[in-house]
Each structure stands twice: as C-alpha cells, then as structure tokens.
Amino acid sequence: GAVVSQHPSRVICKSGTSVKIECRSLDFQATTMFWYRQFPKQSLMLMATSNEGSKATYEQGVEKDKFLINHASLTLSTLTVTSAHPEDSSFYICSARYGTSGGCGKNIQYFGAGTRLSVL
Amino acid sequence: DAKTTQPNSMESNEEEPVHLPCNHSTISGTDYIHWYRQLPSQGPEYVIHGLTSNVNNRMASLAIAEDRKSSTLILHRATLRDAAVYYCILRGYTGTASKLTFGTGTRLQVTL
C-alpha cells in the first residue's frame, strides 16, 4: 500500500507554545488530506479536510484559528496547534486519500502513524 | 449519514479463522463498504473494501450480503499481530457521505 509519513511521532511542549505536525504522502500525490484527533480509549474524530491549494474545511466545533492547516503541495500538509493547552493533549493522525476518479466512495485513505502531543 | 453496527469486542484463538460482522441496514446504493484496523498506538491501516461482490486480498476477505445490509470481514488465520480495533465504515460518493467517519469498531483479541 501507499505510505504516509507523519512527523514528529511524539512531542511534549509547554502550555502556550505552538506545535507543527507534518504529514507527507511519500509515493503518491494527494490532493486531499485529512486530520483526525483521538483521545484515549475513544475513536478517531475528523477535525478537518485539507485540499491542496485551498482553505481547509473544518468540522463543526473545531476552531480553525487554533488548528491551522496548510496544504501547500500535493505531498505535504501541516497542522499547527497554536497556543497549545493541556486539553489539546491528544493523538493526532493525518491521512491522505489515494485516487480521485469515479467518486470518493471507492477511494482508499492511507494513514500516518500518528503524533502524540502532550502539553504540560 | 449511513451508520454501521459492530460488536464491541471479539476473541479468537491464534491460527483460527475470524469472522467480524458489520450491520449497515441503511446503506445507499453508492456506498462502498470499507474496513480499516488500528493497532495499539498506531494510525489506522486499510484492510479491504467492496461495493457488491465479495472481495479477497492478501490481508482478508470481505463477504457482502446480497441485500448489502450486512458484511463480514474474514481473517483466514488469526495471528497475535491481528489484535486490533477493526472499523467497518460506509463511504459514499460525494460530500459528507464521502468522509471516512469512524465508529467504535470491534476490538479483536487473539490468544494463543
């Protein structure tokens, strides 16, 4: 399968600082990438959909000014958690959609390994 | 949104086949059935997907009911490395329905 690389795998930061997470599709071009968040013992929650060259679409309840998403190229999307606080501590996972033809239903999403953010 | 229903947990012995069920009675004609799994502390991994016909790949088989209201993921010989949370997800053609929305999944335990 295709490979999605996410970096860093783990980050610990002080409250009030900003953290940037990178997501790269290594062997395919992804016009659409997704960012998810997962709290302990819970399922993944979609935060936003990132389209190359345009503004991200955020899910209801997700603050776009706090979670800045940039998708400047077909292989790279970044998520910046601005002014992080302890309640932002979570497992952040990116995903890239492979294939765009014939509607979205059959397209496979490949996921990064996740970034565990701990805000002190 | 079309939703799926899966058992919270299942157990299997190693080397035995595992049948993971999924009910999706409100599936629409253009919804694909996707299966992903998530190992502990990892991102989800694609397993298999299908529309109407049964599907096989190196990881698993997907059996889809004739009326498409249910499906079964089949792991032919479970190993300890197959212990994970398995998610059955419907993915539509466009818009909100095309988003990969995760439910609670089935936690598979594999024992020796």
Side-chain angles (χ1 to χ4, degrees):
Chain A
V3 179
V4 173
S5 173
Q6 188 172 340
H7 178 81
S9 59
R10 186 179 181 103
V11 59
I12 301 172
C13 68
K14 293 182 179 179
S15 185
T17 60
S18 294
V19 175
K20 180 186 279 189
I21 303 169
E22 290 189 351
C23 180
R24 295 180 185 273
S25 55
L26 297 186
D27 50 2
F28 67 102
Q29 293 183 328
T31 55
T32 305
M33 291 185 173
F34 304 87
W35 289 94
Y36 292 81
R37 180 168 55 181
Q38 186 174 33
F39 291 107
K41 299 195 183 301
Q42 293 187 22
S43 190
L44 285 79
M45 295 297 296
L46 179 65
M47 298 176 66
T49 301
S50 164
N51 292 297
E52 186 266 338
S54 64
K55 291 184 179 180
T57 304
Y58 290 82
E59 295 299 302
Q60 193 171 9
V62 178
E63 299 175 57
K64 62 180 181 180
D65 295 330
K66 182 167 185 62
F67 299 100
L68 301 179
I69 291 172
N70 185 284
H71 191 162
S73 79
L74 288 172
T75 58
L76 173 64
S77 177
T78 60
L79 168 69
T80 301
V81 183
T82 62
S83 187
H85 291 285
E87 58 266 30
D88 298 322
S89 298
S90 187
F91 192 48
Y92 291 86
I93 308 167
C94 75
S95 177
R97 187 167 66 200
Y98 180 81
T100 56
S101 64
C104 301
K106 63 181 180 180
N107 298 144
I108 298 169
Q109 276 182 226
Y110 292 97
F111 289 80
T115 297
R116 189 161 302 283
L117 171 63
S118 299
V119 184
L120 305 177
Chain B
D1 292 345
K3 296 188 187 299
T4 63
T5 304
Q6 301 177 252
N8 288 332
S9 63
M10 291 185 66
E11 286 188 18
S12 173
N13 295 320
E14 200 177 22
E15 306 283 314
E16 296 290 321
V18 182
H19 290 231
L20 298 165
C22 180
N23 287 321
H24 29 79
S25 59
T26 59
I27 190 171
S28 74
T30 54
D31 287 340
Y32 279 77
I33 303 160
H34 286 248
W35 283 82
Y36 288 77
R37 71 179 185 182
Q38 185 178 25
L39 279 65
S41 299
Q42 304 253 343
E45 175 186 25
Y46 166 77
V47 178
I48 200 166
H49 76 292
L51 183 61
T52 56
S53 303
N54 294 343
V55 185
N56 299 297
N57 67 20
R58 64 174 181 82
M59 289 183 69
S61 295
L62 176 60
I64 301 173
E66 199 168 330
D67 64 3
R68 301 211 323 128
K69 293 185 177 182
S70 66
S71 60
T72 302
L73 179 71
I74 303 166
L75 306 179
H76 296 285
R77 287 180 66 202
T79 70
L80 296 177
R81 288 175 293 180
D82 291 321
V85 178
Y86 287 77
Y87 297 97
C88 169
I89 304 169
L90 299 184
R91 189 161 202 183
Y93 187 83
T94 187
T96 302
S98 70
K99 296 179 183 179
L100 212 59
T101 303
F102 287 80
T104 54
T106 297
R107 182 173 298 277
L108 175 65
Q109 291 181 296
V110 181
T111 55
L112 293 171

PDB file of all heavy atoms in Angstrom, chain A residues 89-104:
ATOM      1  N   SER A  89      -3.878  18.035  24.530  1.00  0.00           N
ATOM      2  CA  SER A  89      -3.099  16.802  24.535  1.00  0.00           C
ATOM      3  C   SER A  89      -3.941  15.679  23.945  1.00  0.00           C
ATOM      4  O   SER A  89      -5.062  15.427  24.383  1.00  0.00           O
ATOM      5  CB  SER A  89      -2.692  16.444  25.964  1.00  0.00           C
ATOM      6  OG  SER A  89      -1.878  17.445  26.520  1.00  0.00           O
ATOM      7  N   SER A  90      -3.397  15.028  22.933  1.00  0.00           N
ATOM      8  CA  SER A  90      -4.168  14.011  22.230  1.00  0.00           C
ATOM      9  C   SER A  90      -3.266  13.299  21.238  1.00  0.00           C
ATOM     10  O   SER A  90      -2.083  13.619  21.096  1.00  0.00           O
ATOM     11  CB  SER A  90      -5.344  14.670  21.499  1.00  0.00           C
ATOM     12  OG  SER A  90      -6.215  13.695  20.944  1.00  0.00           O
ATOM     13  N   PHE A  91      -3.825  12.352  20.527  1.00  0.00           N
ATOM     14  CA  PHE A  91      -3.148  11.629  19.448  1.00  0.00           C
ATOM     15  C   PHE A  91      -3.689  12.196  18.138  1.00  0.00           C
ATOM     16  O   PHE A  91      -4.877  12.084  17.863  1.00  0.00           O
ATOM     17  CB  PHE A  91      -3.438  10.134  19.592  1.00  0.00           C
ATOM     18  CG  PHE A  91      -2.610   9.222  18.743  1.00  0.00           C
ATOM     19  CD1 PHE A  91      -1.227   9.362  18.692  1.00  0.00           C
ATOM     20  CD2 PHE A  91      -3.193   8.194  18.014  1.00  0.00           C
ATOM     21  CE1 PHE A  91      -0.450   8.502  17.924  1.00  0.00           C
ATOM     22  CE2 PHE A  91      -2.419   7.342  17.238  1.00  0.00           C
ATOM     23  CZ  PHE A  91      -1.053   7.499  17.198  1.00  0.00           C
ATOM     24  N   TYR A  92      -2.815  12.848  17.373  1.00  0.00           N
ATOM     25  CA  TYR A  92      -3.233  13.467  16.126  1.00  0.00           C
ATOM     26  C   TYR A  92      -2.775  12.584  14.960  1.00  0.00           C
ATOM     27  O   TYR A  92      -1.609  12.197  14.893  1.00  0.00           O
ATOM     28  CB  TYR A  92      -2.645  14.868  15.996  1.00  0.00           C
ATOM     29  CG  TYR A  92      -3.236  15.836  16.990  1.00  0.00           C
ATOM     30  CD1 TYR A  92      -2.705  15.941  18.279  1.00  0.00           C
ATOM     31  CD2 TYR A  92      -4.338  16.625  16.658  1.00  0.00           C
ATOM     32  CE1 TYR A  92      -3.263  16.811  19.207  1.00  0.00           C
ATOM     33  CE2 TYR A  92      -4.895  17.494  17.582  1.00  0.00           C
ATOM     34  CZ  TYR A  92      -4.357  17.582  18.855  1.00  0.00           C
ATOM     35  OH  TYR A  92      -4.915  18.434  19.766  1.00  0.00           O
ATOM     36  N   ILE A  93      -3.684  12.314  14.050  1.00  0.00           N
ATOM     37  CA  ILE A  93      -3.398  11.391  12.946  1.00  0.00           C
ATOM     38  C   ILE A  93      -3.786  12.041  11.626  1.00  0.00           C
ATOM     39  O   ILE A  93      -4.885  12.577  11.491  1.00  0.00           O
ATOM     40  CB  ILE A  93      -4.193  10.075  13.097  1.00  0.00           C
ATOM     41  CG1 ILE A  93      -3.978   9.466  14.491  1.00  0.00           C
ATOM     42  CG2 ILE A  93      -3.780   9.076  12.022  1.00  0.00           C
ATOM     43  CD1 ILE A  93      -4.959   8.366  14.817  1.00  0.00           C
ATOM     44  N   CYS A  94      -2.864  11.977  10.668  1.00  0.00           N
ATOM     45  CA  CYS A  94      -3.182  12.506   9.350  1.00  0.00           C
ATOM     46  C   CYS A  94      -3.460  11.357   8.393  1.00  0.00           C
ATOM     47  O   CYS A  94      -3.090  10.209   8.644  1.00  0.00           O
ATOM     48  CB  CYS A  94      -2.054  13.376   8.820  1.00  0.00           C
ATOM     49  SG  CYS A  94      -0.623  12.458   8.258  1.00  0.00           S
ATOM     50  N   SER A  95      -4.114  11.687   7.306  1.00  0.00           N
ATOM     51  CA  SER A  95      -4.474  10.683   6.317  1.00  0.00           C
ATOM     52  C   SER A  95      -4.499  11.332   4.945  1.00  0.00           C
ATOM     53  O   SER A  95      -4.843  12.506   4.808  1.00  0.00           O
ATOM     54  CB  SER A  95      -5.850  10.104   6.653  1.00  0.00           C
ATOM     55  OG  SER A  95      -6.263   9.186   5.674  1.00  0.00           O
ATOM     56  N   ALA A  96      -4.124  10.577   3.938  1.00  0.00           N
ATOM     57  CA  ALA A  96      -4.149  11.068   2.575  1.00  0.00           C
ATOM     58  C   ALA A  96      -5.018  10.155   1.728  1.00  0.00           C
ATOM     59  O   ALA A  96      -4.942   8.923   1.854  1.00  0.00           O
ATOM     60  CB  ALA A  96      -2.725  11.121   2.011  1.00  0.00           C
ATOM     61  N   ARG A  97      -5.819  10.767   0.889  1.00  0.00           N
ATOM     62  CA  ARG A  97      -6.706   9.977   0.039  1.00  0.00           C
ATOM     63  C   ARG A  97      -5.982   9.620  -1.247  1.00  0.00           C
ATOM     64  O   ARG A  97      -5.436  10.503  -1.923  1.00  0.00           O
ATOM     65  CB  ARG A  97      -7.992  10.730  -0.260  1.00  0.00           C
ATOM     66  CG  ARG A  97      -9.026   9.884  -1.001  1.00  0.00           C
ATOM     67  CD  ARG A  97     -10.382  10.540  -1.001  1.00  0.00           C
ATOM     68  NE  ARG A  97     -10.395  11.770  -1.762  1.00  0.00           N
ATOM     69  CZ  ARG A  97     -11.311  12.713  -1.602  1.00  0.00           C
ATOM     70  NH1 ARG A  97     -12.255  12.565  -0.714  1.00  0.00           N
ATOM     71  NH2 ARG A  97     -11.268  13.801  -2.336  1.00  0.00           N
ATOM     72  N   TYR A  98      -6.056   8.361  -1.582  1.00  0.00           N
ATOM     73  CA  TYR A  98      -5.393   7.861  -2.787  1.00  0.00           C
ATOM     74  C   TYR A  98      -6.435   7.673  -3.881  1.00  0.00           C
ATOM     75  O   TYR A  98      -7.395   6.941  -3.714  1.00  0.00           O
ATOM     76  CB  TYR A  98      -4.721   6.520  -2.482  1.00  0.00           C
ATOM     77  CG  TYR A  98      -4.005   5.888  -3.655  1.00  0.00           C
ATOM     78  CD1 TYR A  98      -2.720   6.309  -3.999  1.00  0.00           C
ATOM     79  CD2 TYR A  98      -4.596   4.880  -4.407  1.00  0.00           C
ATOM     80  CE1 TYR A  98      -2.049   5.737  -5.064  1.00  0.00           C
ATOM     81  CE2 TYR A  98      -3.932   4.307  -5.473  1.00  0.00           C
ATOM     82  CZ  TYR A  98      -2.660   4.736  -5.796  1.00  0.00           C
ATOM     83  OH  TYR A  98      -2.004   4.166  -6.855  1.00  0.00           O
ATOM     84  N   GLY A  99      -6.259   8.387  -4.990  1.00  0.00           N
ATOM     85  CA  GLY A  99      -7.196   8.235  -6.090  1.00  0.00           C
ATOM     86  C   GLY A  99      -8.324   9.247  -6.016  1.00  0.00           C
ATOM     87  O   GLY A  99      -8.813   9.575  -4.942  1.00  0.00           O
ATOM     88  N   THR A 100      -8.724   9.755  -7.154  1.00  0.00           N
ATOM     89  CA  THR A 100      -9.789  10.755  -7.168  1.00  0.00           C
ATOM     90  C   THR A 100     -10.859  10.441  -8.205  1.00  0.00           C
ATOM     91  O   THR A 100     -11.885  11.082  -8.252  1.00  0.00           O
ATOM     92  CB  THR A 100      -9.244  12.151  -7.493  1.00  0.00           C
ATOM     93  OG1 THR A 100      -8.550  12.091  -8.744  1.00  0.00           O
ATOM     94  CG2 THR A 100      -8.287  12.620  -6.415  1.00  0.00           C
ATOM     95  N   SER A 101     -10.624   9.451  -9.010  1.00  0.00           N
ATOM     96  CA  SER A 101     -11.559   9.225 -10.106  1.00  0.00           C
ATOM     97  C   SER A 101     -12.770   8.422  -9.665  1.00  0.00           C
ATOM     98  O   SER A 101     -12.708   7.666  -8.705  1.00  0.00           O
ATOM     99  CB  SER A 101     -10.850   8.483 -11.244  1.00  0.00           C
ATOM    100  OG  SER A 101     -10.449   7.204 -10.816  1.00  0.00           O
ATOM    101  N   GLY A 102     -13.864   8.608 -10.352  1.00  0.00           N
ATOM    102  CA  GLY A 102     -15.057   7.798 -10.133  1.00  0.00           C
ATOM    103  C   GLY A 102     -15.758   8.030  -8.823  1.00  0.00           C
ATOM    104  O   GLY A 102     -16.427   7.149  -8.313  1.00  0.00           O
ATOM    105  N   GLY A 103     -15.624   9.225  -8.257  1.00  0.00           N
ATOM    106  CA  GLY A 103     -16.291   9.476  -6.982  1.00  0.00           C
ATOM    107  C   GLY A 103     -15.425   9.044  -5.821  1.00  0.00           C
ATOM    108  O   GLY A 103     -14.477   8.290  -5.972  1.00  0.00           O
ATOM    109  N   CYS A 104     -15.782   9.486  -4.650  1.00  0.00           N
ATOM    110  CA  CYS A 104     -14.926   9.281  -3.488  1.00  0.00           C
ATOM    111  C   CYS A 104     -15.164   7.952  -2.789  1.00  0.00           C
ATOM    112  O   CYS A 104     -14.346   7.523  -1.998  1.00  0.00           O
ATOM    113  CB  CYS A 104     -15.132  10.412  -2.488  1.00  0.00           C
ATOM    114  SG  CYS A 104     -14.763  12.033  -3.165  1.00  0.00           S
TER     115      CYS A 104
END
